Amino acid sequence: MKALILVGGFGTRLRPLTLSVPKPLVDFGNKPMILHQIEALKEVGVTEVVLAINYQPEVMLNFLKDFENKLGIKITCSQETEPLGTAGPLALASDKLADGSGDPFFVLNSDVISEYPFAELIQFHKSHGGEATIMVTKVDEPSKYGVVVMEEETGMVERFVEKPKVFVGNKINAGIYLFNPSVLDRIELKPTSIEKEVFPRIAADNGLFAMVLPGFWMDIGQPRDYITGLRLYLDSLRKKAPAKLASGAHVLGNVLVHETAVIGEGCLIGPDVAIGPGCVVEAGVRLSRCTVMRGARVKKHACISSSIIGWHSTVGMWARVENMTILGEDVHVCDEVYSNGGVVLPHKEIKSSILKPEIVM
């Protein structure tokens, strides 16, 4: 089987992290976002992953070459010269996806994190015999999204309602699809929206079915949702693979610590923290609801909450970093400095406190 991952554009919502690497390579739970998806696809027998991308394909490919060999899966790029929306990239990559086998192929949105129940998706797709299956997830506030209206018993999709003003349902498109190759015949090579143009046409022919996604779901394309997504991901690890989580007197709740990270005496870490490879957390540090990425150092008695600390950054002694502060790569927060929601571009030194949320150029 094959899969197409819609990588898309510049990752502006996750700047300053995406100023250093393309968004799918930003770490999440101590590995690049896209790797969570590729590993799950490999598990259900996908042999080739095509990345639909319009920005820095060489950076992505160089990085993913290592994983091709480790995972034993072929990874190629399909590069757009002009943005093609969410359906155009399928037309562009159609020669790679339609190999004549007749097998269905996956299409994923690269920002989505979940438990990826691909085996159940394949089974459901085969059982209903339709042309396309989309996964949907239940949300509390459907008015912010496009809602999928479907028959409860069969899962057949009746229609889509974009940002409904009155309640029509609480299931939204989760950005995970399984398509028969015939779907490619419906898409022209031009900027096209899969949600607004292609799906309604398949639904009109009674060929579109939806499966409710079990477990958690989050679009982690922006910082607040990234932090929420980390909590849900660690919760899921607690249920599925608790041995991967840290334990001990210094740990509160769910905490993921890379084996090469070093943690000092008298720290209190958690809940919902990921500490990446080669990180150093010195004595007496307090961490909660945050990610500390590869090679970062948190000095003695610093306190970090609800924030993202980018690669190779430093947080000084007795510093306090909170309220969705995001430090890009190689940012150095000096001793005793306070950051309240500062968004700091790479390679900066912060010598004075950031008292209200702002971007530090």
Side-chain angles (χ1 to χ4, degrees):
M1 289 182 81
K2 299 189 173 182
L4 180 79
I5 301 180
L6 298 167
V7 174
F10 300 110
T12 41
R13 297 180 303 162
L14 261 190
R15 283 184 183 157
L17 302 169
T18 48
L19 295 172
S20 300
V21 298
K23 183 167 60 177
L25 301 185
V26 171
D27 295 306
F28 177 83
N30 290 353
K31 61 183 164 196
M33 279 184 200
I34 201 163
L35 213 55
H36 292 274
Q37 297 185 329
I38 293 174
E39 286 174 354
L41 288 165
K42 163 80 179 153
E43 253 177 53
V44 292
V46 170
T47 52
E48 183 176 348
V49 175
V50 183
L51 307 176
I53 188 165
N54 60 22
Y55 171 63
Q56 289 186 318
E58 51 294 321
V59 180
M60 289 280 292
L61 280 179
N62 290 342
F63 179 86
L64 291 165
K65 277 285 165 270
D66 301 346
F67 290 104
E68 265 198 324
N69 306 330
K70 266 184 214 158
L71 293 171
I73 191 169
K74 186 177 171 191
I75 301 172
T76 56
C77 270
S78 167
Q79 192 187 1
E80 310 166 29
T81 45
E82 52 161 349
L84 289 169
T86 49
L90 277 78
L92 190 63
S94 61
D95 53 333
K96 290 182 170 161
L97 297 171
D99 52 5
S101 68
D103 284 336
F105 59 89
F106 289 97
V107 177
L108 308 183
N109 181 342
S110 70
D111 294 352
V112 166
I113 192 91
S114 76
E115 285 169 6
Y116 307 121
F118 295 147
E120 295 93 315
L121 179 57
I122 295 170
Q123 206 178 344
F124 176 69
H125 183 76
K126 287 183 173 157
S127 73
H128 65 64
E131 198 174 356
T133 304
I134 64 175
M135 296 211 95
V136 294
T137 183
K138 292 179 180 173
V139 290
D140 296 335
E141 276 187 60
S143 61
K144 294 197 305 198
Y145 304 93
V147 171
V148 180
V149 181
M150 57 190 263
E151 282 179 13
E152 291 302 315
E153 286 73 49
T154 60
M156 187 185 282
V157 175
E158 293 167 8
R159 61 199 168 99
F160 293 83
V161 183
E162 195 55 43
K163 299 195 168 98
K165 298 279 181 287
V166 294
F167 185 85
V168 290
N170 64 347
K171 298 182 190 74
I172 65 161
N173 175 357
I176 299 170
Y177 318 130
L178 189 57
F179 293 161
N180 288 348
S182 60
V183 170
L184 294 168
D185 303 333
R186 295 175 175 270
I187 303 168
E188 291 176 54
L189 184 52
K190 62 175 200 215
T192 316
S193 160
I194 201 160
E195 300 84 359
K196 296 191 175 85
E197 298 175 63
V198 181
F199 287 161
R201 291 204 294 267
I202 305 175
D205 295 342
N206 297 337
L208 185 63
F209 290 78
M211 174 181 157
V212 178
L213 181 75
F216 77 99
W217 176 88
M218 200 72 215
D219 177 329
I220 53 174
Q222 49 196 352
R224 199 169 292 281
D225 295 337
Y226 176 104
I227 296 285
T228 303
L230 183 65
R231 173 175 62 81
L232 297 170
Y233 171 69
L234 295 177
D235 265 351
S236 160
L237 274 188
R238 169 71 65 200
K239 295 187 191 98
K240 294 197 156 184
K244 290 183 178 174
L245 296 172
S247 56
H250 62 295
V251 172
L252 265 180
N254 298 331
V255 174
L256 190 62
V257 179
H258 193 270
E259 64 225 15
T260 57
V262 180
I263 294 177
E265 292 291 304
C267 292
L268 188 56
I269 296 175
D272 309 323
V273 173
I275 299 173
C279 289
V280 177
V281 177
E282 295 182 7
V285 165
R286 175 76 181 101
L287 303 177
S288 65
R289 294 181 302 283
C290 64
T291 289
V292 182
M293 291 184 184
R294 186 183 61 249
R297 176 180 285 265
V298 183
K299 295 189 174 174
K300 289 176 186 159
H301 306 292
C303 176
I304 302 172
S305 68
S306 303
S307 296
I308 302 173
I309 309 302
W311 309 272
H312 307 291
S313 289
T314 312
V315 175
M317 288 196 288
W318 296 100
R320 186 179 180 98
V321 171
E322 62 186 27
N323 191 21
M324 300 310 309
T325 291
I326 306 170
L327 306 184
E329 181 183 16
D330 180 43
V331 167
H332 303 284
V333 174
C334 294
D335 294 353
E336 299 179 28
V337 163
Y338 171 58
S339 169
N340 172 18
V343 173
V344 186
L345 274 67
H347 316 299
K348 295 268 174 272
E349 186 175 33
I350 302 295
K351 291 179 174 159
S352 57
S353 291
I354 301 168
L355 300 176
K356 61 179 198 310
E358 61 176 317
I359 296 171
V360 179
M361 310 286 276

